[in-house]
Amino acid sequence: RSLILHPASTTHRQLSDEERLAAGAGPDVIRLSVGIEDVGDLIADLGQALVQADVALDATLGPPPAG
């Protein structure tokens, strides 16, 4: 089973901001733990998740500047 998690709000949430940064678990870090699923399924799922994240980011911040 594969997992994607945000260490700053899960496994490292008990640490201070400074401790999280020193541990490499800053607010912009995600952890990907890959299981034994079919590699094609994993790639497709990650691609779909990245597209959805990009759409959500555009909805929040607006599209990036052209050029």
Side-chain angles (χ1 to χ4, degrees):
R1 183 175 279 217
S2 297
L3 299 170
I4 297 177
L5 57 97
H6 182 244
S9 62
T10 57
T11 58
H12 291 70
R13 70 179 175 270
Q14 75 280 4
L15 302 177
S16 70
D17 290 342
E18 294 81 18
E19 290 170 323
R20 278 193 293 274
L21 289 174
D28 57 347
V29 173
I30 60 169
R31 177 177 292 152
L32 172 61
S33 298
V34 178
I36 58 171
E37 293 89 354
D38 177 76
V39 69
D41 289 344
L42 287 170
I43 291 169
D45 289 348
L46 286 171
Q48 181 181 8
L50 290 170
V51 167
Q52 290 177 1
D54 190 46
V55 168
L57 187 61
D58 284 352
T60 302
L61 302 177

